[in-house]
Amino acid sequence: MSVNILAGEVGVVAATALRELAARAVGVLPVAEYADGAPLPWSVVGDGGWDLVGVPGDGAASLRDLVEIAQTWGEFCVPLPLLPTILAKRWSAAARERTGPVTVSVAAPGRPPGRFLAPYLGEPEVVLALGLGAGEDRVAPPAVAARDGFAPTLRLAETDLRSAFSAEAAREQAVVWAAEAVGCARRTLRDSVGYARDRHQFDRPIGSFQAVKHRLARAHEQVELAESALLWAVAAPADTARPVRFAVDSSIGVLQTAIQVHGGMGFTWEMGIHFFLRHVLTLRELVRGVGL
Amino acid sequence: MRTEQGRGDRAVTTTAATGAADAFRLRAEQWLGRSVPERWKAERGALSEAEIDEIRLEWDRRLFRGGFAGISLPAEYGGQGLGLREEVAFHELAARAHAPEGFGRIGKILVAPALIADGTQAQRARYLPPILRGDHVWCQGFSEPGAGSDLASVSTVARAVPGGYLVRGQKVWTSFADKARKCLLLAKSDPEAPRYRNLTMFLVDMDQPGVTASPIRQISGASHFSEVFFENAFVAEEDRLGPEGEGWRVAMGVLNHERGAVEGVTRYVEMRGDLDRLIACCAGRAGTCSPVADFDTRLELVRWQISKTVAYQEDQARSAAAASVLKVTWSELWQEIAEYGLGAACPDHHAHWRNQYLETRATSIYSGSNEIQRNVIGDRILGLPR
Ligand SMILES: Cc1cc2nc3c(=O)[nH]c(=O)nc-3n(C[C@H](O)[C@H](O)[C@H](O)COP(=O)(O)OP(=O)(O)OC[C@H]3O[C@@H](n4cnc5c(N)ncnc54)[C@H](O)[C@@H]3O)c2cc1C
């Protein structure tokens, strides 16, 4: 039980650095202002070599480290394929040969047959890794069959090409996406707590009403347990699906609470909670698609 | 799982259906069969925003010509003089016939009852007919940036001037404001008076230079509500609804209708449509959809709860107790149905559930949030100490 609870040095260092980069790029901006744009150029993370943090070898990040990185990254909802690239370069030599971003595609339950889902496919420089520890290890140029604009920060595309994953690669990918979802939830909870402190009705902060307080307390329980579920998922190769699903579903619950606590404001496009919600709902599709 | 037929046979109210009620149903069914626009039924998804608006506007007019506008409003005011039972039955039949939803909702469900309860004869004569005819779309100007849950703290001011009032201030989340010609507006008329006694309700003309509505984009991407700015908009003395200082009481009456049986039944039928869609998708996927049976039970209970509210109309306390749970119940059930629909990933309905999931995030916020409604239940229905 004691193994892997704390992230290693690689994870902590990378997460800290990426937090700084993301904060510098989008720190105080509302997500609605950058969801459709390119607030952080690939070169910033690429030049730092952060896309190679998981490449096997001495000092490579463990899955626990990747969770640390993904959670941090999720807090910003930056539209940049960092996490799929880290995974692709961890599992594919062909992906490692590319200097730019690489993505993966997964099955698409509930879509036309023969279609696969790939985040960020069709974005500048992004290629598709076809073999992650399984299948033929090569990359393919982007072949976008259709775009899915539901989650602007994930730039999802449908493609006819499917990445092959080894069981362990698939498991890692699912855990990393779940961790990203939990990061979205953590961030949104923090924002909601801030809103509940500032927003006054009946001459009091709304956070002083027990109904609001309990909702947020419940959301805190969900985030805490979701993070624990990630630890469990890291530690249990044979039983990853349950904690991964729990983490993603809990994150969705937190985002729903966030909208409610923001009242009418939470229902607006500009306030932006829905970008996180759309992001996490889409991550849930991807997690399912990768087979968990 | 029940069949479509089984559901149709179920009585809406707890009392036995009378011959007259059967006759009404029959007439409504036949009229709907003839009147729902074919284009709406067949190609709804392919219609442009402008075409949809046009069909919805025209639908309000057709309802009037067909004798189905204001079903439960008294005949002397141009309504059909029937009961809530018929109102409920009609909405159900209309949903089953895939009828469009008009823009008359706020006018008919909220404004008309307020005019009947608190309006002058002249106001009723002037405003009810265009509401029923479908000529006037209304909006409800209650919420403000600083006054949502705490509605009593509205700061839009109506200042008395010769012959009427000048209105200054800002409303927000005003549904249909960009389409509306009239606004039911809650404003502060007496800055000196104590809370709850400083407000007055007005019937404001939206077509005047002092009024601007600017649509706000919602999380689904659509813009069904607006910010509305009043810059010395004029309201005539005779367009004050109820006495000065009684706006809060009038507003509470409006909110009761907003959370009441007629509103509830329109939601019930929309939800029924969603749940039937989900049931259809789950058929043949045994075991994967276990919560659906539970949704079905709870949705039918919404309907029984509405029936009970209607049946106890004469008994104020019981009716209020029954009505108080309606909105919290349907709003959360609808959210769960949409959540489940989205998660169940039915290939044919992907886009529908995504949209419905996002849209239903609002049900627990609008008409007064569910937290506020549960405060109301605790304070007024259960009499708990404040
Ligand atoms: C789709 C939509 C359509 C709408 N249409 C209209 C319309 O046509 N006309 C109109 O006037 N308004 C409309 N509204 C506004 C709606 O009535 C308000 O959003 C609602 O009353 C909440 O107010 P608020 O947004 O200011 O949230 P706030 O009052 O700021 O509430 C934020 C959170 O705090 C909670 N809270 C606040 N006070 C308390 C308390 N005392 N106890 C416990 N919890 C509390 C709320 O429940 C909520 O979760 C609409 C809203 C939506 C979302």
Side-chain angles (χ1 to χ4, degrees):
Chain A
M1 274 303 287
S2 63
V3 290
N4 280 341
I5 293 283
L6 300 181
E9 201 189 327
V10 189
V12 173
V13 168
T16 307
L18 287 165
R19 178 182 298 283
E20 270 170 29
L21 292 181
R24 207 175 302 144
V26 302
V28 293
L29 289 179
V31 59
E33 276 184 29
Y34 62 81
D36 292 317
L40 190 60
W42 174 260
S43 58
V44 175
V45 294
D47 292 351
W50 299 115
D51 55 332
L52 300 173
V53 68
V55 172
D58 270 357
S62 66
L63 179 56
R64 174 65 187 85
D65 292 325
L66 296 185
V67 162
E68 192 75 8
I69 292 166
Q71 272 184 269
T72 303
W73 188 249
E75 288 184 32
F76 297 92
C77 230
V78 176
L80 196 71
L82 175 63
L83 298 176
T85 306
I86 291 177
L87 250 290
K89 293 188 176 178
R90 182 175 177 83
W91 284 95
S92 153
R96 284 196 284 278
E97 279 166 22
R98 308 281 308 187
T99 47
V102 183
T103 191
V104 297
S105 73
V106 300
R111 310 257 178 168
R115 284 286 169 80
F116 303 93
L117 298 180
Y120 309 104
L121 194 67
E123 290 295 295
E125 298 179 69
V126 177
V127 297
L128 188 66
L130 291 180
L132 288 86
E136 193 189 342
D137 187 359
R138 64 184 178 94
V139 298
V144 173
R147 291 199 170 276
D148 179 333
F150 183 68
T153 47
L154 270 173
R155 317 269 159 98
L156 202 61
E158 290 182 8
T159 173
D160 301 329
L161 297 173
R162 177 181 200 163
S163 309
F165 286 84
S166 70
E168 184 56 13
R171 181 180 107 80
E172 288 198 353
Q173 180 65 81
V175 173
V176 164
W177 275 330
E180 187 181 3
V182 176
C184 291
R186 167 72 73 195
R187 152 76 186 274
T188 312
L189 172 59
R190 195 164 58 227
D191 289 354
S192 300
V193 170
Y195 188 79
R197 278 178 211 264
D198 294 346
R199 167 76 174 165
H200 281 63
Q201 287 286 272
F202 305 96
D203 296 322
R204 293 163 58 178
I206 58 167
S208 70
F209 299 118
Q210 200 172 54
V212 174
K213 206 176 273 177
H214 280 192
R215 266 191 189 268
L216 289 170
R218 172 78 191 117
H220 171 71
E221 292 159 39
Q222 287 176 303
V223 173
E224 282 295 324
L225 293 178
E227 283 181 0
S228 298
L230 295 174
L231 299 176
W232 171 6
V234 168
D239 194 13
T240 312
R242 279 195 299 159
V244 158
R245 277 188 217 144
F246 179 91
V248 176
D249 289 345
S250 299
S251 303
I252 292 171
V254 171
L255 290 159
Q256 291 176 175
T257 297
I259 291 180
Q260 183 69 20
V261 167
H262 282 75
M265 200 59 105
F267 198 63
T268 62
W269 186 273
E270 296 306 322
M271 172 55 94
I273 301 168
H274 70 103
F275 288 106
F276 288 90
L277 182 55
R278 288 163 183 265
H279 196 96
V280 174
L281 289 169
T282 306
L283 290 175
R284 180 172 69 176
E285 280 195 67
L286 293 172
V287 165
R288 282 187 188 163
V290 80
L292 265 88
Chain B
M1 216 70 44
R2 289 160 310 90
T3 63
E4 184 70 30
Q5 219 172 5
R7 193 161 51 248
D9 294 337
R10 221 167 279 183
V12 169
T13 59
T14 47
T15 51
T18 63
D22 285 342
F24 174 81
R25 288 184 77 93
L26 190 64
R27 181 163 71 83
E29 221 161 355
Q30 289 173 345
W31 182 82
L32 284 162
R34 292 194 302 276
S35 308
V36 175
E38 279 308 320
R39 286 178 59 217
W40 183 264
K41 274 194 278 192
E43 351 159 19
R44 183 179 174 173
L47 298 173
S48 72
E49 196 75 15
E51 288 171 312
I52 288 174
D53 285 358
E54 195 191 305
I55 291 179
R56 291 180 65 183
L57 276 172
E58 170 58 22
W59 182 246
D60 285 319
R61 303 197 169 117
R62 274 197 198 177
L63 283 173
F64 175 73
R65 290 198 299 270
F68 294 102
I71 291 168
S72 56
L73 296 178
E76 52 180 317
Y77 302 125
Q80 308 302 323
L82 298 168
L84 269 180
R85 189 189 306 162
E86 284 82 4
E87 186 87 59
V88 166
F90 184 79
H91 281 293
E92 231 182 298
L93 293 169
R96 210 173 299 160
H98 303 289
E101 197 207 337
F103 286 121
R105 186 180 200 122
I106 289 178
K108 284 177 209 165
I109 300 181
L110 304 185
V111 181
L115 285 167
I116 290 169
D118 287 291
T120 61
Q121 271 309 342
Q123 286 171 340
R124 294 172 190 150
R126 181 159 174 216
Y127 291 117
L128 285 172
I131 289 176
L132 294 168
R133 280 201 306 267
D135 289 344
H136 283 181
V137 175
W138 282 73
C139 63
Q140 176 193 12
F142 285 19
S143 306
E144 296 181 3
S149 297
D150 184 8
L151 184 57
S153 69
V154 295
S155 61
T156 293
V157 173
R159 184 168 58 86
V161 294
Y165 303 81
L166 284 181
V167 178
R168 279 184 77 96
Q170 183 195 347
K171 295 290 172 181
V172 75
W173 323 130
T174 320
S175 302
F176 304 118
D178 54 334
K179 308 232 157 37
R181 294 191 44 192
K182 301 282 166 190
C183 178
L184 182 66
L185 182 95
L186 183 64
K188 199 194 282 190
S189 49
D190 183 353
E192 308 299 318
R195 191 174 157 92
Y196 302 118
R197 275 182 268 153
N198 53 354
L199 305 175
T200 302
M201 193 68 78
F202 297 96
L203 309 165
V204 180
D205 199 343
M206 295 286 282
D207 293 333
Q208 56 169 310
V211 183
T212 3
S214 79
I216 303 173
R217 196 165 180 211
Q218 302 171 342
I219 63 172
S220 61
S223 300
H224 297 310
F225 58 27
S226 300
E227 289 179 288
V228 185
F229 300 91
F230 297 89
E231 280 291 332
N232 289 327
F234 181 72
V235 200
E237 172 91 44
E238 57 265 30
D239 283 335
R240 189 185 66 229
L241 181 62
E244 267 190 23
E246 300 232 348
W248 182 251
R249 182 184 57 75
V250 179
M252 288 303 101
V254 171
L255 285 185
N256 278 338
H257 283 289
E258 202 175 351
R259 300 168 188 161
V262 179
E263 175 71 11
V265 81
T266 66
R267 301 309 186 180
Y268 164 81
V269 295
E270 291 177 72
M271 291 164 71
R272 190 70 252 175
D274 268 356
L275 187 53
D276 285 347
R277 197 186 284 260
L278 192 56
I279 289 170
C281 150
C282 287
R285 306 204 316 177
T288 55
C289 292
S290 48
V292 173
D294 174 54
F295 292 154
D296 199 49
T297 307
R298 287 161 62 198
L299 182 52
E300 285 314 297
L301 282 169
V302 167
R303 173 205 184 92
W304 283 99
Q305 189 67 22
I306 293 169
S307 304
K308 199 167 76 185
T309 307
V310 174
Y312 284 127
Q313 261 177 113
E314 309 302 322
D315 180 344
Q316 278 251 323
R318 288 203 75 164
S319 178
S324 69
V325 308
L326 273 178
K327 195 260 170 173
V328 283
T329 305
W330 66 251
S331 59
E332 289 170 12
L333 177 57
W334 203 359
Q335 292 180 332
E336 283 183 55
I337 291 173
E339 272 162 58
Y340 198 80
L342 184 66
C346 300
D348 299 340
H349 304 143
H350 206 70
H352 172 82
W353 288 121
R354 277 180 163 180
N355 186 60
Q356 210 63 342
Y357 172 86
L358 291 172
E359 286 288 343
T360 55
R361 295 308 98 201
T363 61
S364 53
I365 299 170
Y366 58 53
S367 312
S369 73
N370 286 12
E371 284 81 7
I372 293 299
Q373 183 58 15
R374 289 195 167 102
N375 287 347
V376 169
I377 293 173
D379 295 345
R380 290 192 223 144
I381 306 292
L382 302 179
L384 288 167
R386 278 182 186 252

